[in-house]
Amino acid sequence: MWVVKTRGLVKFFGDVVALDGLDLRVPKGVCGFIGPNGAGKTTTIHILLGLLKADRGEAYVFGLDCWENSYEIRRRVGVLLENPGYPKGFTAERYLEFIAKMYEVNQPKSKVKGLLKDVDLLWARNRKIGEFSAGMLQRLGLAKALIGEPELVILDEPTANLDPIGRLELMEKIRELWRDRGINFFISSHILPELEEICTWASIINEGTIVDQGFVTELAKKYEPYVYELEVEGDRDVFIKRLSELNFVEEVLVEGNKIVCKVKDVNIFCKEIPQIVAEFALTLRKFQPSYGVLMGIYRRLIKNEKSN
Ligand SMILES: Nc1ncnc2c1ncn2[C@@H]1O[C@H](COP(=O)(O)OP(=O)(O)OP(=O)(O)O)[C@@H](O)[C@H]1O
Ligand SMILES: [Mg+2]
């Protein structure tokens, strides 16, 4: 069963078509929701939580209709919204305890302490939320999203404002929560290398429709998103000619010192290149992917869309 499923969702804001027949599917696990600014991610998330009503189409979370059953969905789903509002006069601890009581959590005080520790905010538990920095607010939002023992956590750009260590820790935490407690995640983010670390599934949205979605490994096979950069020392020209003749290389571009290869079969490529370099008695100075798999898929899909 899909954790999230929508069919033909349409949402207008006045004349603006925010969602244009969105067919989203999200399986169990850690799943990414990616697309350019204004593509419709936040609008979709609001509809999934029953905060917004779609003009047309259907939306289900755990098989429950998002508008009809929004109360139950919000009880089972933890969420970090894009621009959440908090009571500024509350301390972090008091606010989270208040939320914990709302969710009727057992031993709310120790639960809140544990969560504050998890998001590295224990040190600020007695400070007023109004005095928090942007990253501290983000951490508070994450703790809040996890408070009610959710089965699914929806995060709308969770790492915006987090410092580099905070980002790494969050990714590690998400991985752990799925692995150890089976909590599903649906994460909208523009930081593709980060998502790539943890997501097994990606849904790609552009202009209010899903342009493709699937397991990242399957998408990678379909779009062959691998682009490698090479730098060699020695007689480059024969090497470049040889590269362009290889059947597992789609295209070879030369950009100054850099040789950029669009690769069809990454496994064979990585195995063969060092051998070919040795054959031509060259020195390999650089041999690395230009960008990650998700970025490769995204570039292909979103660029293609724009050029159509
Ligand atoms: N309350 C609103 N009133 C009017 N237009 C809106 C409203 N909310 C969203 N829109 C419009 O709907 C479209 C989708 O916006 P949405 O916020 O869902 O995009 P997004 O994918 O979350 O973008 P971002 O990556 O920038 O967060 C945009 O054209 C936006 O201007
Ligand atoms: Mg958004």
Side-chain angles (χ1 to χ4, degrees), residues 13 16 18 35-43 82 157 190:
F13 290 107
V16 176
N37 293 128
K41 301 178 294 297
T42 299
T43 304
E82 206 170 30
E157 303 196 31
H190 295 291

Coordinates of all heavy atoms in Angstrom, one line a residue, residues 13 16 18 35-43 82 157 190, ligand 1:
F13 N -4.8 29.1 -7.2 CA -4.8 30.2 -6.3 C -5.1 31.4 -7.2 O -4.3 31.9 -7.9 CB -3.4 30.5 -5.6 CG -3.1 29.4 -4.6 CD1 -2.1 28.5 -4.9 CD2 -3.7 29.4 -3.4 CE1 -1.7 27.5 -3.9 CE2 -3.3 28.4 -2.4 CZ -2.4 27.5 -2.7
V16 N -3.6 31.4 -10.7 CA -2.3 30.6 -10.7 C -2.7 29.1 -10.5 O -3.5 28.8 -9.6 CB -1.4 31.0 -9.5 CG1 -0.2 30.1 -9.4 CG2 -1.0 32.5 -9.7
A18 N -1.5 26.0 -9.2 CA -0.4 25.5 -8.4 C -0.2 24.0 -8.6 O 0.9 23.5 -8.7 CB -0.7 25.8 -6.9
G35 N 11.8 19.5 -6.8 CA 11.3 20.2 -7.9 C 11.6 21.7 -7.7 O 11.9 22.1 -6.6
P36 N 11.6 22.5 -8.7 CA 12.0 23.9 -8.6 C 11.1 24.7 -7.7 O 10.0 24.3 -7.4 CB 12.0 24.4 -10.1 CG 11.4 23.3 -10.9 CD 11.2 22.1 -10.1
N37 N 11.6 25.9 -7.4 CA 10.8 26.9 -6.7 C 9.4 27.1 -7.4 O 9.4 27.3 -8.6 CB 11.5 28.2 -6.5 CG 12.7 28.2 -5.7 OD1 13.8 28.6 -6.1 ND2 12.6 27.6 -4.5
G38 N 8.4 27.1 -6.6 CA 7.0 27.3 -7.2 C 6.4 26.1 -7.9 O 5.4 26.2 -8.5
A39 N 7.1 24.9 -7.8 CA 6.6 23.7 -8.5 C 5.3 23.2 -7.9 O 4.5 22.5 -8.6 CB 7.7 22.6 -8.5
G40 N 5.1 23.4 -6.6 CA 3.9 23.0 -6.0 C 4.1 22.0 -4.8 O 3.1 21.4 -4.3
K41 N 5.3 22.0 -4.3 CA 5.6 21.0 -3.2 C 4.9 21.4 -1.9 O 4.2 20.5 -1.3 CB 7.1 21.0 -2.9 CG 7.9 20.6 -4.1 CD 9.4 20.6 -3.9 CE 10.0 22.0 -3.6 NZ 9.9 23.0 -4.7
T42 N 5.0 22.6 -1.5 CA 4.3 23.0 -0.2 C 2.8 22.9 -0.4 O 2.1 22.5 0.6 CB 4.8 24.4 0.1 OG1 6.2 24.4 0.3 CG2 4.2 24.9 1.4
T43 N 2.3 23.3 -1.5 CA 0.8 23.2 -1.7 C 0.4 21.7 -1.6 O -0.6 21.5 -0.9 CB 0.5 23.7 -3.1 OG1 1.0 25.0 -3.3 CG2 -1.0 23.7 -3.4
E82 N 7.0 24.7 6.1 CA 8.0 25.7 5.6 C 8.2 26.9 6.5 O 9.3 27.3 6.8 CB 7.6 26.1 4.2 CG 8.7 26.5 3.3 CD 8.3 26.6 1.9 OE1 7.1 27.0 1.6 OE2 9.1 26.4 1.0
E157 N 11.6 21.2 3.4 CA 12.9 21.8 3.5 C 13.5 21.8 4.9 O 13.7 22.9 5.5 CB 12.8 23.2 2.9 CG 12.3 23.1 1.5 CD 12.5 24.4 0.7 OE1 13.5 25.0 0.9 OE2 11.7 24.6 -0.2
H190 N 15.8 21.1 -1.6 CA 16.5 21.4 -2.8 C 18.0 20.9 -2.7 O 18.8 21.1 -3.6 CB 16.5 23.0 -2.9 CG 15.2 23.5 -3.2 ND1 14.5 23.3 -4.4 CD2 14.3 24.2 -2.5 CE1 13.3 23.9 -4.4 NE2 13.2 24.5 -3.2
Ligands
LIG1 N1 -1.4 31.3 -0.7 C1 -1.1 31.4 -2.0 N2 -1.6 32.4 -2.7 C2 -1.3 32.6 -4.0 N3 -0.5 31.8 -4.7 C3 0.1 30.8 -4.1 C4 -0.1 30.5 -2.7 N4 0.6 29.5 -2.3 C5 1.3 29.0 -3.3 N5 1.0 29.8 -4.4 C6 1.5 29.6 -5.8 O1 1.4 28.3 -6.1 C7 2.6 27.8 -6.8 C8 3.2 26.7 -6.0 O2 3.7 27.2 -4.8 P1 4.4 26.2 -3.7 O3 4.6 27.0 -2.5 O4 3.5 25.0 -3.5 O5 5.8 25.8 -4.4 P2 7.0 25.0 -3.8 O6 7.3 23.9 -4.8 O7 6.8 24.7 -2.4 O8 8.2 26.1 -4.0 P3 9.5 26.4 -3.1 O9 10.5 25.3 -3.5 O10 9.9 27.7 -3.5 O11 9.1 26.2 -1.6 C9 3.5 29.0 -7.0 O12 3.2 29.6 -8.2 C10 3.0 30.0 -5.9 O13 3.2 31.3 -6.2

